[in-house]
Amino acid sequence: MTAKNLFTLGITLVIALAVPALAQDAGTLDKDRVKEKPKPYSPYVDQHFPQRVLFGDMHHHTSLSVDSGVIGNTNGPEVSFRLARGEEVVSVTGQRVQLVRPLDFLVVTDHAEYLGIAKLLNEADPDLLATDVGKEWYAKMQGDPEEAWGAVVDMQKDFVSGVPRFDNPKVKRSVWEDVVDIASEYNDPGKFTALNGYEWSTISNGKDGPAGANLHRVVVFRDGPDRVKQVLPFSAFDSGDPEKLWEFMAGYEKQTGGQILAIPHNGNISNGQMYAEVIKGKDMTRDYAERRARWEPLLEVTQMKGTGEAHPSLSPEDEFANFEIWDFGDSFGNPKEDWMLQYEYARSTLKNGIRLEDKIGANPFKYGMIGSTDSHVSLSTTREENYFGKLPNEEPSAKRYSGVFVRDKKTGEVIVSTWQLGASGLAAVWAKENTRESIFDALARKEVYGTSGSRLTVRVFAGWDFQPDEVQRPDFAAQGYARGVPMGGDLEDAPANTAPSFMIRALRDPDGANLDRVQIIKGWLDSDGKTRERIYDVAVSDGREVGRDGRCKEPVGSTVNVKDASYTNSIGDALLMAHWKDPDFDPKQRALYYVRVLEIPTPRWTAYDAKRFGVTMPEEVTMTVQDRAYTSPIWYTP
């Protein structure tokens, strides 16, 4: 054997003997590593709080709704989802439409009552046309727009009576399953969410309050088709009583193991009934309050039919309360009375909630707040320069501003013109991921806010020991969750001699206007059992100052050129941050706080129409708008 071979053999023996020992040492090292569980270098692997703000529309109608399909809309849910996901679509009047950026989620909420009947009428379904009522509706649809709308009103009268004149269980089942399947087709977890939902469209019959009041709710499911298809939508034909709706919802959860919630519409056309304290002629009970809070965690604060945050008569010291206000009555032309207002608007309702909680032991109105469109043209277009109306006859044209939305049912006089419809609104949720489950969970815990159409990013935390410089920290959100509560949360057990402190950040829509100011609206129950409110400007743009009274008297100004339908971001700030501590806190008094963020003035859709169509608008037409966001409150309970 050569020296070279001997050397090779020696090396081989050394390796053979050493490898088991090395393997044993490696195994020991691995065990030690597992045993030690070193803290991750990445600070985000164990970060489990929501870090994504998602924007969507939760109140949206297609051609399957009678007050859409019967009057000309032939675009179904597929068009709605395609537009929301960022595709270009064609409107009913043949106009090309696209959003500036895709939405993150959409709930198609067609009316449960006569769901899909409009589609059958448009297709001249022989079974429907074989009935007398089908022939009647079909004939009206073939007439002029007034006659077609007459068919809708005729159907809505059935909503009031609770008795359908066409009822085919096979049709209901078939249409509902199609709706659920379409949502499943467009649902793309992580990228775009299509939640299942519908609208329960009860209208008061006059037995327990003024007739004709809109008491509608949007019903939203957390679940997919395996659970949702086990039921049919509960409609006003099943019952016009909200308590019966809640019973249906409880039954759904028990039967399927799924989850469901309801969202009351804007209350401003309910003539004092949406948030009433007298229920079926009797004072509200604790049991009723607890059930309402359980099944209805949110309210719709803004949509096309005006904004329902506050009213000038209820909040005379709030110069921003007169925003897209509708106080003419209900959509059937019944008049408004002053006593109704406090039971229709969000701020007064939230205050009434803490008063009722003190009285009966439960808060029926512990609502988070969202916005949505209530669009009836299958298009979620909320930006002023991209406003495609909310009904088929309101798509862009030189004449749409002068259309009629509501007439007095006795005199026939115009009560609301279509120029008074707003481009509002959007729902924003703070979620961990873009999925049905994550979005629903954010809705349920009320970590949500509403905007009048733009995509402002707003975040707020309340706690007992936040310091002024912490709002500027890069881990501001981590600190907020660790030591406080986000929007929709609760503060309790105030430490001695300590007032709650708030950290707020607001960022402009990247495709929109700068910010004017950030405000905290506080409501509380005083020692005499009366509700109070106060507004604090906590951050203002352009170096303006906040006075000792907590208000900035100097307006932000305006760069709007109405004639050119233009503005610039040469005023306002892109980002506003605030740390605020309640200077008037009383630990013995119930309180709530929510944030309102205002943009600088911009042209309203009416100004864009005037420019594009060469129209001279009448003096009464509003031509500018200050879009805004409203967060869910944070409550303090002694």
Side-chain angles (χ1 to χ4, degrees):
M1 183 175 290
T2 66
K4 181 178 180 181
N5 288 338
L6 287 171
F7 177 78
T8 303
L9 177 62
I11 293 296
T12 302
L13 289 171
V14 169
I15 292 174
L17 292 169
V19 165
L22 289 171
Q24 184 177 3
D25 290 344
T28 302
L29 288 172
D30 285 343
K31 289 179 182 178
D32 289 342
R33 289 193 188 101
V34 172
K35 195 173 183 180
E36 290 174 6
K37 291 185 179 179
K39 185 178 180 180
Y41 179 83
S42 172
Y44 309 113
V45 293
D46 292 321
Q47 186 170 281
H48 302 300
F49 56 80
Q51 278 288 53
R52 298 185 64 183
V53 61
L54 304 174
F55 291 94
D57 186 2
M58 304 193 65
H59 184 182
H60 180 92
H61 297 274
T62 76
S63 60
L64 297 180
S65 288
V66 294
D67 54 356
S68 177
V70 171
I71 56 174
N73 183 17
T74 56
N75 282 333
E78 297 92 340
V79 171
S80 300
F81 286 123
R82 287 176 53 217
L83 180 75
R85 295 205 318 181
E87 296 180 38
E88 179 185 303
V89 301
V90 178
S91 76
V92 173
T93 58
Q95 302 184 65
R96 299 164 62 198
V97 193
Q98 192 165 20
L99 302 182
V100 64
R101 302 193 307 279
L103 292 177
D104 298 300
F105 65 93
L106 175 67
V107 194
V108 169
T109 57
D110 283 309
H111 296 285
E113 299 73 20
Y114 292 140
L115 179 66
I117 292 296
K119 183 174 183 290
L120 297 180
L121 288 169
N122 278 304
E123 295 173 349
D125 179 77
D127 290 336
L128 179 55
L129 295 190
T131 67
D132 290 340
V133 70
K135 292 175 184 175
E136 178 187 338
W137 290 337
Y138 185 76
K140 289 182 178 179
M141 280 183 64
Q142 309 313 306
D144 60 31
E146 288 288 336
E147 287 184 274
W149 185 250
V152 173
V153 173
D154 196 37
M155 293 177 184
Q156 290 179 334
K157 289 178 180 177
D158 297 343
F159 298 5
V160 178
S161 70
V163 181
R165 283 177 289 158
F166 179 82
D167 188 20
N168 186 323
K170 290 183 179 180
V171 169
K172 286 193 291 187
R173 169 60 65 185
S174 175
V175 173
W176 177 238
E177 292 194 353
D178 283 347
V179 168
V180 176
D181 287 342
I182 292 169
S184 296
E185 177 185 351
Y186 285 92
N187 189 53
D188 189 2
K191 296 180 180 178
F192 177 84
T193 295
L195 291 102
N196 289 299
Y198 71 91
E199 180 174 328
W200 176 75
S201 313
T202 191
I203 300 170
S204 61
N205 56 21
K207 293 181 180 178
D208 301 313
N214 182 315
L215 299 175
H216 301 191
R217 270 83 164 168
V218 162
V219 178
V220 181
F221 299 86
R222 187 179 191 264
D223 314 302
D226 57 327
R227 289 189 170 108
V228 175
K229 283 187 178 182
Q230 293 183 42
V231 298
L232 288 174
F234 185 89
S235 77
F237 295 144
D238 297 301
S239 176
D241 184 348
E243 293 182 78
K244 296 298 182 183
L245 174 65
W246 305 337
E247 289 177 13
F248 160 78
M249 296 167 69
Y252 167 81
E253 292 197 347
K254 183 177 181 181
Q255 174 186 338
T256 69
Q259 291 180 257
I260 190 172
L261 59 80
I263 306 171
H265 284 200
N266 56 307
N268 61 337
I269 55 173
S270 72
N271 274 2
Q273 293 191 70
M274 182 62 85
Y275 307 115
E277 298 178 32
V278 176
I279 311 300
K280 299 173 186 175
K282 297 181 181 180
D283 289 342
M284 186 185 297
T285 64
R286 177 170 184 163
D287 173 68
Y288 176 95
E290 289 175 340
R291 285 184 290 127
R292 182 160 189 163
R294 163 67 177 85
W295 298 112
E296 298 182 2
L298 307 169
L299 62 75
E300 185 182 74
V301 70
T302 180
Q303 58 130 279
M304 70 160 176
K305 297 188 289 289
T307 290
E309 182 228 358
H311 190 281
S313 297
L314 300 173
S315 302
E317 296 182 4
D318 181 359
E319 69 270 34
F320 299 108
N322 192 22
F323 178 69
E324 302 283 330
I325 289 294
W326 281 34
D327 59 3
F328 61 87
D330 61 33
S331 55
F332 285 83
N334 296 302
K336 182 79 66 188
E337 298 178 29
D338 290 343
W339 67 267
M340 300 174 177
L341 293 176
Q342 70 163 308
Y343 304 115
E344 298 185 343
Y345 285 83
R347 188 183 302 175
S348 54
T349 295
L350 292 168
K351 292 191 300 179
N352 285 340
I354 59 175
R355 176 174 51 78
L356 286 167
E357 184 177 26
D358 191 66
K359 179 181 178 182
I360 64 177
N363 184 346
F365 307 137
K366 200 169 185 179
Y367 286 122
M369 296 196 282
I370 64 159
S372 282
T373 65
D374 196 10
S375 170
H376 284 65
V377 291
S378 306
L379 306 172
S380 291
T381 55
T382 65
R383 292 175 64 91
E384 304 293 332
E385 79 280 5
N386 198 35
Y387 174 68
F388 268 74
K390 300 302 169 83
L391 291 170
N393 64 332
E394 297 161 10
E395 289 195 6
S397 75
K399 297 181 180 179
R400 67 168 169 172
Y401 77 93
S402 59
V404 177
F405 192 76
V406 179
R407 292 186 185 275
D408 187 289
K409 66 178 184 179
K410 293 182 179 179
T411 66
E413 294 180 0
V414 176
I415 297 176
V416 179
S417 297
T418 53
W419 71 261
Q420 292 170 279
L421 295 172
S424 230
L426 287 174
V429 305
W430 282 101
K432 296 178 182 178
E433 56 187 0
N434 191 351
T435 62
R436 285 171 170 168
E437 297 79 11
S438 190
I439 290 172
F440 185 96
D441 292 347
L443 296 169
R445 69 175 182 269
K446 308 170 191 173
E447 197 170 354
V448 299
Y449 60 97
T451 86
S452 57
S454 56
R455 303 189 202 183
L456 301 89
T457 298
V458 186
R459 206 158 204 179
V460 56
F461 296 97
W464 299 110
D465 64 351
F466 294 138
Q467 300 304 309
D469 62 340
E470 288 187 285
V471 72
Q472 299 178 10
R473 291 178 55 156
D475 64 345
F476 138 90
Q479 294 300 318
Y481 283 110
R483 294 162 37 221
V485 297
M487 62 183 78
D490 290 275
L491 288 175
E492 298 176 340
D493 302 323
N497 303 315
T498 304
S501 54
F502 294 76
M503 296 192 298
I504 308 158
R505 281 186 185 175
L507 180 67
R508 58 165 265 197
D509 183 331
D511 296 302
N514 275 346
L515 307 181
D516 167 10
R517 66 187 69 202
V518 175
Q519 301 177 310
I520 284 183
I521 287 85
K522 177 185 177 182
W524 74 96
L525 189 68
D526 70 14
S527 57
D528 295 326
K530 296 180 180 180
T531 58
R532 307 287 185 184
E533 69 177 62
R534 187 169 176 181
I535 300 170
Y536 298 88
D537 291 317
V538 297
V540 294
S541 62
D542 296 334
R544 291 172 294 160
E545 294 184 357
V546 176
R548 292 183 178 179
D549 61 352
R551 298 304 312 276
C552 175
K553 306 298 184 183
E554 183 183 355
V556 70
S558 177
T559 64
V560 175
N561 183 321
V562 172
K563 183 177 179 181
D564 291 336
S566 64
Y567 74 99
T568 67
N569 277 321
S570 56
I571 61 173
D573 287 350
L575 171 68
L576 290 175
M577 298 184 291
H579 171 276
W580 180 79
K581 197 169 187 177
D582 185 353
D584 304 305
F585 180 68
D586 186 332
K588 298 178 182 178
Q589 296 176 346
R590 298 177 187 273
L592 64 95
Y593 307 82
Y594 68 89
V595 171
R596 181 171 66 183
V597 181
L598 284 81
E599 295 181 356
I600 64 172
T602 58
R604 195 172 180 268
W605 70 264
T606 44
Y608 286 108
D609 272 21
K611 170 71 182 306
R612 289 172 180 170
F613 298 117
V615 174
T616 300
M617 295 285 179
E619 289 185 6
E620 67 268 19
V621 175
T622 303
M623 302 294 275
T624 63
V625 66
Q626 263 190 284
D627 278 312
R628 55 199 66 192
Y630 314 95
T631 73
S632 294
I634 293 172
W635 289 268
Y636 168 72
T637 303

